[in-house]
């Protein structure tokens, strides 16, 4: 009916025409019949005008709607992410052009196809995030669940890809449907992987550089220490050599001196017995020189000279032993001899000082076999540890008046441990023996922090000029690398320190 009217009045399309007719009718309205006819016509015209307005509004709305749709379509078509709508059976209802690139096929080929399983598969071991989006649910008011995960994309042709998938519940033509957003992250993942690899390469390079730096530092430390020790060794060897010859003259002749003195004294006694009354000159001389005292004292004198020269000889032997720095090969060595000669060199440092009594050395030597080692290098180790012990005792004596007697205890032993064989679990363990040298002092001890850095090259807590911080780092290298042994330290502040050297017995 409405449509009929609309057609009927489609001819009255412009306002000028309508207004013209209106004026004509007003002038001709004379009789009642004419009046009625006129009012009916007026009504029709009014309706026509109203309908025309409605149509205009509709066209405008349609136009606006088209603009809006074009805008949204543009957004969806130009979106780089793939936008797909699947129904509740997982069949594709809609897909945007970006989907064609992702799956390498036309949208028409996708519509009606099952998306999951064939084109999209869940990535193994990939986390699924879920979140709630307030409002926007299928019903418009309820909250919407959003699922987000990574998926493998199998396109119709070409290489697989990886995409970040977001699934949101929505509505499509009055039915529950799912909006699926797929973002291709293959390139990003590849870039991330490349970045990770280059990062790990950089880390490796940095580690290698750090290692090279450490090695360089150690070599430098070794060179400085070797230089120090070799000049000390050369000096000690030179002094020992210089003393050795004159001492040997004395030592070698003392035996004859002793014998001659004995003979001469016997002769004097014989004279006394056979010539009890010599001439006055002899009697005077006898009284003057107190012959009886000389006869009594002479043997003591000679024997104390013998003891003295014997001691000097020992010192010379020790100095030579200590300065054996140039020994290139390992040799069976008496460890106790090495410790003793080091102690001998340090003897003057052990003596009492104004601020502390003498440092007592307690030797608790066990039965040790000869140990295959570089004698000179092991002496360096003993030297470093013992001089550190003396330094620590001196420092603690300078700080507090301690009732404890300063001591350095040196304990040696053989220890055996049962080690599992590498070949098999069932094989019986093999006993491994090593010698253990413990050097403990009553010094000021050290903090945990110092203990951790003890063997670092150039680490020292001593004032400039007193310590180079090389002693223990060199000792560690000598024990660990040159002798496959262990060098450990236990200590706590105020409690003294103990250094333990373990050398394997092969
Ligand atoms: N027995 C000890 N008691 C307390 N601290 C010690 C002891 N031995 C070593 N230390 C600490 O370890 C640091 C490093 O010792 P290391 O022998 O390597 O170097 P240094 O004695 O300082 O110098 P040098 O190169 O002259 O030996 C010392 O400065 C000291 O702080
Ligand atoms: Mg030192």
């Amino acid at each position: 009916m409405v449509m009929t009217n609309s057609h009927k009045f489609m001819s009255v399309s412009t306002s000028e025409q309508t207004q013209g007719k209106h004026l004509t009718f007003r002038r001709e309205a004379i009789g009642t019949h004419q009046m009625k006819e006129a009012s009916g016509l007026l009504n029709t015209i009014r309706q026509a005008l109203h309908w025309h307005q409605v149509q205009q509004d509709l066209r405008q709305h349609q136009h606006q709607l088209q603009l809006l749709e074009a805008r949204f379509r543009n957004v969806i078509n130009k979106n780089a992410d793939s936008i797909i709508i699947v129904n509740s059976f997982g069949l594709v209802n809609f897909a945007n052009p970006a989907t064609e690139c992702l799956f390498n096929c036309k949208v028409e080929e996708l519509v009606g196809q099952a998306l999951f399983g064939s084109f999209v598969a869940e990535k193994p071991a990939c986390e699924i995030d879920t979140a709630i989006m307030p409002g926007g649910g299928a019903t418009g008011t309820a909250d919407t669940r959003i699922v987000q995960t990574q998926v493998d994309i199998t396109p119709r042709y070409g290489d697989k890809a990886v995409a970040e998938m977001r699934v949101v519940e929505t509505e499509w033509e009055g039915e529950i449907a799912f909006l699926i957003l797929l973002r291709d992250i293959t390139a990003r993942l590849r870039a991330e992987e490349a970045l990770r690899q280059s990062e790990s390469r950089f880390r490796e390079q940095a580690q290698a550089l750090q290692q090279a730096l450490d090695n360089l530092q150690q070599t430098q430390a070794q060179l400085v220490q070797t230089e120090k020790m070799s000049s000390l060794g050369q000096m000690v060897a030179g002094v020992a050599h210089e003393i050795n010859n004159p001492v040997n003259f004395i030592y070698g002749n003392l035996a004859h001196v002793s014998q001659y003195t004995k003979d001469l004294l016997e002769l004097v006694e014989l004279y006394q017995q056979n010539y009890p009354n010599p001439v006055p000159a002899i009697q005077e001389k006898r009284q003057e020189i107190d012959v009886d005292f000389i006869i009594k004292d002479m043997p003591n004198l000679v024997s104390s000279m013998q003891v003295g020269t014997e001691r000097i000889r020992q010192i010379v032997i020790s100095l030579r032993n200590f300065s054996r720095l140039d020994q290139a090969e390992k040799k069976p060595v008496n460890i106790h001899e090495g410790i003793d000669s080091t102690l001998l060199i340090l003897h003057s440092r052990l003596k009492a000082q104004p601020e502390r009594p003498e440092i007592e050395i307690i030797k608790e030597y066990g039965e040790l076999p000869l140990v295959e080692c570089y004698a000179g290098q092991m002496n360096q180790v003993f030297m470093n540890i013992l001089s550190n012990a003396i330094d620590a005792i001196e420092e603690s004596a300078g700080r507090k008046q301690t009732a404890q007697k300063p001591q350095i205890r040196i304990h040696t032993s053989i220890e055996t441990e049962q080690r599992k064989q590498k070949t098999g679990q069932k094989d019986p363990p093999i006993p491994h023996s090593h010698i253990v040298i413990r050097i403990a002092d009553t010094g000021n001890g050290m903090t945990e922090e110092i203990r951790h850095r003890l063997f670092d090259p150039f680490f020292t807590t001593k004032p400039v000029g007193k310590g180079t911080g090389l002693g223990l780092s060199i000792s560690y290298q000598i024990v660990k690398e040159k002798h496959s042994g262990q060098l450990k330290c236990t200590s706590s502040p105020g409690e003294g320190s103990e250094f333990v050297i373990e050398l394997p017995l092969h």
Side-chain angles (χ1 to χ4, degrees), residues 225 228 383-389 391 459-460 462 466-473 475:
Q225 182 77 355
K228 200 168 112 182
M383 179 73 156
N384 284 325
I385 295 176
L386 286 167
S387 47
N388 279 346
D391 287 346
F459 172 76
T460 181
K462 293 171 192 170
K466 183 131 197 267
T468 59
L470 289 177
L472 287 179
S473 85
S475 304

Side-chain angles (χ1 to χ4, degrees), residues 42 92 96 103 110 150 154 161-162 181-183 186 203 230 248 266 285 301 329 351 357 403 446 452 460 485:
L42 263 173
V92 176
N96 72 340
F103 294 110
L110 278 170
Q150 280 184 10
T154 311
V162 181
L181 300 169
L182 292 166
R183 175 167 293 176
T186 320
R203 217 171 295 128
S230 89
N248 273 345
E266 277 171 8
K285 193 68 187 171
L301 208 106
E329 337 121 45
K351 284 185 189 155
M446 65 189 92
H452 273 118
T460 181

Side-chain angles (χ1 to χ4, degrees), residues 116-117 120-128 149-153 165:
F116 297 104
V120 174
E122 201 183 311
K123 232 177 131 44
C126 199
E127 276 182 20
I128 294 183
T149 186
Q150 280 184 10
V151 287
D152 281 325
I153 303 288
M165 181 178 78

Side-chain angles (χ1 to χ4, degrees), residues 344-358:
L344 195 108
I345 289 175
L346 290 171
H347 188 253
S348 63
R349 290 203 61 200
L350 300 172
K351 284 185 189 155
Q353 305 282 323
E355 67 278 9
R356 62 153 176 86
E358 187 181 350

Side-chain angles (χ1 to χ4, degrees), residues 81-86 90 102-103 115-117 119-123 126-131 145-153 161-169 178-186 188-189:
D81 293 341
S82 162
I83 301 170
I84 304 171
I85 293 180
V86 296
L102 190 62
F103 294 110
L115 185 71
F116 297 104
F119 292 101
V120 174
E122 201 183 311
K123 232 177 131 44
C126 199
E127 276 182 20
I128 294 183
D129 292 335
T130 55
R145 183 173 288 279
I146 305 170
V147 177
Q148 193 164 304
T149 186
Q150 280 184 10
V151 287
D152 281 325
I153 303 288
V162 181
E164 214 165 59
M165 181 178 78
R166 241 174 159 231
V167 182
V168 186
E169 195 184 290
F178 297 93
L179 172 68
I180 293 162
L181 300 169
L182 292 166
R183 175 167 293 176
D184 190 347
I185 56 166
T186 320
R188 193 185 86 195
L189 289 183

Side-chain angles (χ1 to χ4, degrees), residues 218-253:
Q218 274 194 344
T219 316
Q220 188 192 8
Q222 229 170 351
L223 280 173
V224 174
Q225 182 77 355
T226 311
E227 177 62 32
K228 200 168 112 182
M229 292 309 288
S230 89
S231 47
L232 177 66
Q234 276 165 11
M235 195 187 78
V236 167
V239 172
H241 180 76
E242 288 305 315
I243 299 171
N244 194 38
N245 279 347
V247 165
N248 273 345
F249 299 152
I250 301 169
Y251 186 78
N253 289 332

